[in-house]
Amino acid sequence: MIDCKVFADKAAASVWAASQICDMIRDNPTANLGVATGSSPADVYAEIARQVHADSIDVTRLRAFALDEYLGLDTTHPQSYHYFIDEHVTKQIGLAPQNVRVPFAEGHSTGDVIDDYDAEIADAGGIDLQILGIGSNGHIAFNEPGTPFDSVTHVEPLTQSTRADNRRFFDHTAEVPILSVTQGIGTIMNARRIILLAFGENKAEAVRDSVRGPVTEDVPASVLQNHPNVVFALDEAAASLL
Ligand code: F6R
């Protein structure tokens, strides 16, 4: 059973999630944090930065591993996840750039396995706390419906629904990438603790299907029912169908 915490709004959920992360860093300054991109976690990173600076939390040895990246965008493109992580995580929180990793797989094609990234995470000691968002189709990272639960980091095509959801970040539909490199579902499930953030009514069906529905590869986030330490931090709209 997935533990769901319902907050009055995104701001309250973001403060709660940031406090959980800051507590972890205080306990273990060499922790490995798994970081998502997109609109759901942006306020969490801003609040972590606020608490880190206000309370002088030592982040010099904190390491961060991103979930995914588009293929076909330059890493300096403002919508690339390298750029997002650099701005919202590395610079804002004040991490050492060499302690922050984002997957990269230029030149690879659909289905290619990127073993190095999983090995790098494992060599670092594994992810202590993973932040996730969720797609309106139930995807986690860019693992679209049908992705095997035992998948590792690989190249994944984006579905039409994900490209439509992410169209808002680009000027034209044609600019939305068609391929991604993403941690696999197996990679994500290796994290010791997971906090999934979901806000707004367009996430309500995916949240309901993940929490209450059958565990099925058709709804990637439903795999989290099998994880021993996961919390969904929701606003009332995202929790409205539970
Ligand atoms: C991004 C990622 C994706 C997003 C999801 C929701 O690193 O892993 O799974 O979390 O597409 O995106 P937002 O938060 O923009 O609604």
Side-chain angles (χ1 to χ4, degrees), residues 10 40 71 79 107 115 120 128 137 145-146 160 162 178 184 186 194 203 235-236 241:
K10 179 181 179 181
S40 305
L71 284 197
Q79 293 308 332
D115 278 334
E120 214 177 313
D128 294 292
N137 65 358
Q160 278 309 325
T162 295
I178 54 174
I194 295 174
K203 300 292 174 73
D235 66 2
E236 286 173 1
L241 298 179

Side-chain angles (χ1 to χ4, degrees), residues 70-125:
Y70 292 118
L71 284 197
L73 286 190
D74 196 88
T75 55
T76 58
H77 189 290
Q79 293 308 332
S80 81
Y81 288 173
H82 277 78
Y83 187 92
F84 178 102
I85 294 292
D86 200 36
E87 293 294 319
H88 291 262
V89 177
T90 313
K91 289 183 186 157
Q92 187 171 224
I93 301 175
L95 303 191
Q98 67 272 20
N99 289 347
V100 181
R101 298 285 296 120
V102 181
F104 189 71
E106 214 51 72
H108 287 259
S109 50
T110 302
D112 280 2
V113 166
I114 316 296
D115 278 334
D116 298 3
Y117 199 64
D118 283 59
E120 214 177 313
I121 293 170
D123 288 349

Side-chain angles (χ1 to χ4, degrees), residues 35-41 67-68 81 132-136 139-143 162 166 168-169 182 197 202-203:
V35 285
T37 54
S39 54
S40 305
L67 284 171
D68 45 12
Y81 288 173
L132 291 179
I134 184 171
S136 61
H139 73 216
I140 47 175
F142 274 139
N143 294 288
T162 295
N166 289 5
R168 68 192 193 280
F169 297 117
T182 179
L197 307 160
N202 73 323
K203 300 292 174 73

Side-chain angles (χ1 to χ4, degrees), residues 13-241:
S14 300
V15 170
W16 175 82
S19 299
Q20 297 295 305
I21 293 162
C22 287
D23 286 349
M24 176 195 72
I25 303 169
R26 282 191 196 88
D27 286 351
N28 177 12
T30 64
N32 296 321
L33 179 65
V35 285
T37 54
S39 54
S40 305
D43 292 356
V44 175
Y45 302 136
E47 176 61 18
I48 293 172
R50 195 194 65 73
Q51 294 188 26
V52 161
H53 297 131
D55 299 345
S56 301
I57 300 171
D58 176 14
V59 292
T60 54
R61 289 167 294 158
L62 182 71
R63 281 196 274 194
F65 290 86
L67 284 171
D68 45 12
E69 174 59 293
Y70 292 118
L71 284 197
L73 286 190
D74 196 88
T75 55
T76 58
H77 189 290
Q79 293 308 332
S80 81
Y81 288 173
H82 277 78
Y83 187 92
F84 178 102
I85 294 292
D86 200 36
E87 293 294 319
H88 291 262
V89 177
T90 313
K91 289 183 186 157
Q92 187 171 224
I93 301 175
L95 303 191
Q98 67 272 20
N99 289 347
V100 181
R101 298 285 296 120
V102 181
F104 189 71
E106 214 51 72
H108 287 259
S109 50
T110 302
D112 280 2
V113 166
I114 316 296
D115 278 334
D116 298 3
Y117 199 64
D118 283 59
E120 214 177 313
I121 293 170
D123 288 349
I127 300 295
D128 294 292
L129 196 162
Q130 176 67 54
I131 302 294
L132 291 179
I134 184 171
S136 61
N137 65 358
H139 73 216
I140 47 175
F142 274 139
N143 294 288
E144 300 283 30
T147 306
F149 280 167
D150 62 357
S151 50
V152 298
T153 303
H154 64 283
V155 174
E156 174 97 9
L158 300 178
T159 60
Q160 278 309 325
S161 91
T162 295
R163 294 188 70 232
D165 283 347
N166 289 5
R167 163 75 178 80
R168 68 192 193 280
F169 297 117
F170 293 85
D171 291 335
H172 305 285
T173 305
E175 287 176 30
V176 186
I178 54 174
L179 286 179
S180 69
V181 56
T182 179
Q183 284 188 27
I185 294 179
T187 318
I188 293 168
M189 288 293 281
N190 283 334
R192 285 184 268 282
R193 182 181 172 197
I194 295 174
I195 295 176
L196 182 145
L197 307 160
F199 308 117
E201 65 183 341
N202 73 323
K203 300 292 174 73
E205 283 186 20
V207 167
R208 177 200 60 202
D209 293 348
S210 305
V211 174
R212 301 261 183 267
V215 176
T216 165
E217 289 176 354
D218 294 340
V219 181
S222 68
V223 75
L224 299 171
Q225 292 181 38
N226 293 338
H227 194 281
N229 193 351
V230 55
V231 174
F232 279 26
L234 309 169
D235 66 2
E236 286 173 1
S240 59
L241 298 179

